[in-house]
Structure formats: C-alpha cells, structure tokens
Amino acid sequence: MAGIVLKYKIPQFQEYTIHVQKYNNVTNSSELRSKLAELPFAYIDSKTVISVEQLSSAIYKAILETEYNRMRTRTIHSECILSLSPSSNIGDALNRFGIKEGTTDIIVIKIIEDSNEEPYDGNASVDGDLVPVSDDEFSTSADKEIIKTVCIPCDKL
Amino acid sequence: MSAEIIASIADVLTDNIPLTPISQGAEAVVFTSPVHPYLPKNRTDGDDKLYILKYRPEKKYRHPVIDKTLTKHRTLGESRLLAKLRLIDGLNVPKLIGCDPYHGCIWLEFLGEDLPNGHGFSNLKNFLWMNASDPYSDLVRDTMINVGKQIGLMHWNDYCHGDLTTSNIVLVRAGEDWQPYLIDFGLGSISTLVEDKGVDLYVLERAIISTHSSFANRYNLWVLEGFKSVFESHGKAGLGKYKDLIRRFEEVRLRGRKRSMIG
C-alpha cells in the first residue's frame, strides 16, 4: 500500500507528477477558502469522494482535457474539481466538491508539470492531521447521501 | 490487422501501455491491456487484471475535420450510453473506466473468460456450441432466460442495443451459473420506438437461428420467456408495452429488418 502521501504518474502522461494528500481535523478551512485563487492546489471536500478510483478518474480527465482539448477553468487544479462533477457548470462543481466554510476533512491534489515547475515539497498550507491516502480512509470520511446528490445527474433524481 | 492502426494508438498511449489486439470491426479495434489508464499502480487488487480499450482509428477516406467530429461524437455517445445503462438496477453492462474522445478511445472493464476445453471465449455463441451435446439442460435454459431478462430490462428502460448478436453477449461466471452481460453499444440508442426494439429481438433471433439452427426454436422461446417476465413484473402497463412490442416483432420478422427498400 502507498505511503501517507500518494504520489504517482499516469502511464499516458509521464510529464505530470500527481500528489494526493488527505488531512483530517482541519482548522483553517475558512482561511484556505479566502485564498483559494492564489494557492496552486485543488482542495476537495472529502465528504464527496469515496474512493481513489473516483478521484484518479477525475485527475485523468482533467489532464486529458488539458493536453488534447482546452482547459475550461483557469488552472489544472480547478479542472480536477470540475472533472469530479457530472455537470459542466464550473461554479456548481466548485461549490459542491470544493471546500466549504467549516470543512474539516480535506483532500489536496497537487499536479506538477515536470518540465517547468519546482518539485513539490509537500506543504499545502493546511493545518490538520495528515492521514494515509487509501480507499479505506476515503470511505470513512465520505458521506454517501451527499455523494448521491452531487454525483448523480439531475435527470436521474 | 494493420500495423499502422496499432502504431497510431501506441503513439498516443506511449510505451507504458502495452496493447494486445483481440478483435476488429468496421469502425473500431478492440485491445486488451494489463495497465489501467489512470489508477495509481501500487494498489492491492489482483495484478492479472485486464482492461479493454476500444479504439476508433482515423478513417483516411474521410475528410480529416469531419473524421475528427464523427469519431468524437460516436465515442462520447457510446460512453454516455454505457454510463447511463450502468445506473439501471439489475442490468449487466461493462463498467466504463475512461474515455478519450479526441483519439476515439474508450476504456472498459474486461469481462468473461476462456471456456474449458478450448471452447473459446465465454460469449453466448461459444457457450451454446460448448453445450451442444446437451442443448436443453437446465443450465442452458436458465442462461437463455437470463439473456431475455437483460434485453427486457434494457428495452423497458427505453434503451436499444442496435446489434444484438450471440457474440455481443458475454457470459460471466457466477458460481455454477453464467450471468449474461451485453457489450458493444456502438450502435446503441435511447429510443421509445417499438420498431427499434422489435429489430433488436429480430436480429438476435436471426443470429441464434444461423449459428445454432438445430436448437434455435427452443432457445428463442426461452429468450422471449425471460424478456416477457420483465414486462410482466410491471403490471398492466408492462403487459401493454410487451404486447405492442411483440406485435411489431412479428411484423419485423415477416418483412425483415429494413422497413424501406432503400439502403
């Protein structure tokens, strides 16, 4: 099993290195929220993520769109959050999957393009307890009722 | 198979994703790969897992711009259909793993296995051939009824397959039994028309007649039995729909799949 931080590359996109971290008992989520635009990370409310597969599929889609098509949002990190959402509405996606005022469990994604960025030192400015990234950890903090409302397209409800 | 097609996709996916071609149709090539397109590698699930890649190569006889839009449109269409079908309770379709509409790639979970004694891959066709020595066993009967149920469930939800043949039904082992999975929705659609559903049933009936002619009558009755049971479970509304469908199915059977004489 992976260490406490999940670091990997997608076979098809070797030039990107992906780091995933998870923090519990986060105390500075409102501060993070106010600085979201400046911080080069994707902060995700871990209530909305149930597995590594769900998260990594969104990252894959984000990089795929960036490489082959065009970004719909301003950064690759916000693109990850958009890719989690079944709809293409950016504001909606950020509201649903992004961190809220009072979110305590946060998943952080950091994507580095190897050619033109410094390696990542692991500091995501989050005050909280770093926990291992795993399906088990994700499923304990996930909220299935919330996932049902955010992940199932509206016409299915 | 053309080495050029394999080279064109290997170029996109890089050497990190080894591909083995397993089948080619008019529009797409199907590969297996031991590498998942995006899951982090060091996970504990079995390493012998395979994944399916359905790749629609560029068609040189089309204008490049039209080719790109068509490929994108069809790849997306098939993926969306598959994702919606997956949400239907009780319906068995392969899980969609990923989709790259810009290169015509669809990643799916691998289903089925090789049948014992060299009977080939576990699709319905090979399964029926394997059981030809005891064609009316309970196992065959239950399997055919389950096939009918899958089709019934799909049609009840207003989805059509478009190319239902015995090789597009894959059997997945579930203990002693086999669970049918519908694959290849390349011609699939959402449709409320009885015509499309009647054609689905007719195409499957013809496929069974042509590949398993000696036992086809009984097989087709079993499929229809399973098909009917789904509609019956929805009471009066279900039965009404079922009757409309069967009436059209019989019409299609008399005239053939094509309604007009053109094309």
Side-chain angles (χ1 to χ4, degrees), chain B residues 34-53:
Chain B
V35 177
H36 191 286
Y38 55 77
L39 262 192
K41 238 188 251 153
N42 44 2
R43 279 165 41 104
T44 40
D45 40 359
D47 270 339
D48 53 345
K49 260 196 170 173
L50 286 177
Y51 305 94
I52 291 282
L53 171 66

Side-chain angles (χ1 to χ4, degrees), chain A:
Chain A
M1 214 51 217
I4 201 152
V5 179
L6 176 64
K7 177 182 169 188
Y8 72 104
K9 284 171 184 266
I10 292 173
Q12 194 177 339
F13 303 109
Q14 285 299 304
E15 58 280 24
Y16 294 91
T17 305
I18 299 142
H19 304 259
V20 182
Q21 290 161 298
K22 183 167 187 281
Y23 292 89
N24 287 354
N25 310 318
V26 175
T27 49
N28 63 337
S29 54
S30 47
E31 181 199 337
L32 287 173
R33 238 179 94 82
S34 59
K35 297 195 294 185
L36 273 183
E38 301 126 57
L39 294 166
F41 300 96
Y43 295 102
I44 294 163
D45 179 357
S46 79
K47 280 200 175 80
T48 60
V49 176
I50 198 155
S51 68
V52 176
E53 182 173 10
Q54 182 196 355
L55 196 70
S56 57
S57 76
I59 298 171
Y60 171 72
K61 191 180 169 224
I63 298 183
L64 195 124
E65 291 292 330
T66 310
E67 280 283 300
Y68 300 144
N69 193 23
R70 62 191 161 83
M71 282 204 270
R72 268 157 250 244
T73 58
R74 240 179 276 162
T75 69
I76 194 157
H77 295 109
S78 46
E79 199 71 20
C80 287
I81 299 179
L82 175 62
S83 296
L84 278 169
S85 169
S87 84
S88 55
N89 185 319
I90 298 165
D92 238 32
L94 291 173
N95 282 335
R96 289 167 157 191
F97 293 90
I99 51 171
K100 289 130 201 128
E101 206 61 38
T103 300
T104 53
D105 297 356
I106 295 181
I107 296 168
V108 181
I109 303 174
K110 172 77 175 169
I111 299 176
I112 300 271
E113 215 175 328
D114 293 347
S115 54
N116 52 22
E117 274 171 88
E118 293 285 301
Y120 175 47
D121 62 359
N123 178 8
S125 339
V126 180
D127 295 335
D129 309 329
L130 194 61
V131 293
V133 170
S134 68
D135 280 343
D136 289 342
E137 179 55 45
F138 280 1
S139 57
T140 51
S141 58
D143 185 327
K144 284 187 187 158
E145 290 311 309
I146 292 185
I147 291 180
K148 272 183 200 159
T149 60
V150 296
C151 286
I152 296 175
C154 300
D155 57 323
K156 281 277 159 194
L157 287 175

Side-chain angles (χ1 to χ4, degrees), chain B residues 9-27:
Chain B
I9 184 62
D11 196 39
V12 175
L13 297 181
T14 74
D15 297 342
N16 299 311
I17 304 184
L19 297 172
T20 315
I22 53 168
S23 126
Q24 175 162 22
E27 191 175 279

Side-chain angles (χ1 to χ4, degrees), chain B residues 24 31 96 114 117 119 136 160 197 215 220 240 248 262:
Chain B
Q24 175 162 22
F31 299 93
L96 178 70
D114 279 329
N117 309 323
H119 283 283
Y136 301 137
C160 293
K197 294 165 194 170
F215 323 119
N220 284 321
R248 181 59 68 99
I262 308 153

Side-chain angles (χ1 to χ4, degrees), chain B residues 175-190:
Chain B
E176 288 292 292
D177 299 329
W178 293 89
Q179 258 311 316
Y181 278 67
L182 305 177
I183 63 159
D184 189 0
F185 284 86
L187 294 170
S189 59
I190 302 177

